Amino acid sequence: MATPITSVTDFCGLLTKSRLLPADEVEGIHRRWRDENRGDDQVDQFRKFLISRKFLTDWQAHMVQRGRADGFFIGAYKIMDRIGKGQMGGVYKAVHTLGQLVALKILPSSKAKDQHVLGRFQREARLLTQLDHPNVVRSYQFGESNGVHFISMEFLEGETLDEVLTRRKRLPVGE
């Protein structure tokens, strides 16, 4: 279990270990923070500093502050934010090393141990990559990285179907 971070120095150490930023960049940011804040060691303020200057996303900064240094990378994808949760796992906003923004559906390794769940996830992935329709989110890739199975899909801004149905109750047939 991760231990919450209580000092800016510890935060920087964990941030370096996470590989979200290169070590020399973390050192420079920490130095700048100390100079601007006269050595202030308030972790919450440092986290807000990192977010406001777009070094980290809010989600990444919270995860590091909670003591997490791993799980930010799945294969060629860097996870930026958590955008949803389903029965099988989480859905995350991620960026590929080539710069493409995607939604990454992740089946945690703990759930992948159940062959029925893993089989269902893999069938969904195969079917999604075969679909090509303007009203269906495109799927780009599926795979496994260090025991974590994933599906990368087109990232779309906006409301989820659940949110629309909660707000509107029903949709007209045409929609």
Side-chain angles (χ1 to χ4, degrees), residues 16-165:
T16 299
K17 188 176 174 188
S18 76
R19 299 184 354 252
L20 285 167
L21 297 172
D24 58 338
E25 190 173 348
V26 173
E27 287 175 31
I29 293 166
H30 190 190
R31 204 173 317 108
R32 193 163 125 204
W33 165 258
R34 281 194 320 260
D35 292 347
E36 289 179 21
N37 294 281
R38 297 185 184 96
D40 191 355
D41 202 34
Q42 293 200 1
V43 177
D44 284 335
Q45 295 304 328
F46 183 65
R47 178 181 47 79
K48 290 175 185 173
F49 172 83
L50 292 169
I51 295 164
S52 69
R53 288 171 176 71
K54 301 196 183 314
F55 291 115
L56 298 177
T57 65
D58 188 43
W59 180 81
Q60 291 169 332
H62 271 99
M63 296 308 286
V64 172
Q65 187 174 5
R66 289 174 54 192
R68 293 263 320 266
D70 56 354
F72 293 106
F73 295 89
I74 306 292
Y77 299 94
K78 176 165 61 169
I79 298 176
M80 307 302 286
D81 198 6
R82 184 178 194 148
I83 56 177
K85 183 166 172 36
Q87 288 182 326
M88 283 202 255
V91 180
Y92 298 84
K93 181 177 180 180
V95 65
H96 189 275
T97 53
L98 298 175
Q100 182 183 26
L101 197 58
V102 299
L104 208 58
K105 186 173 187 175
I106 295 176
L107 179 69
S109 53
S110 60
K111 292 198 177 192
K113 291 175 186 172
D114 181 330
Q115 289 303 309
H116 175 72
V117 172
L118 177 58
R120 201 170 110 202
F121 187 83
Q122 290 172 331
R123 278 190 302 281
E124 176 186 344
R126 279 193 301 279
L127 289 171
L128 277 173
T129 57
Q130 294 172 10
L131 289 175
D132 184 17
H133 189 277
N135 296 336
V136 177
V137 173
R138 286 182 293 191
S139 178
Y140 302 120
Q141 176 186 23
F142 65 94
E144 179 267 333
S145 176
N146 296 321
V148 178
H149 295 262
F150 66 89
I151 305 169
S152 76
M153 300 174 282
E154 180 179 18
F155 177 79
L156 300 171
E157 292 282 351
E159 292 179 290
T160 66
L161 180 58
D162 281 342
E163 291 167 342
V164 171
L165 290 174

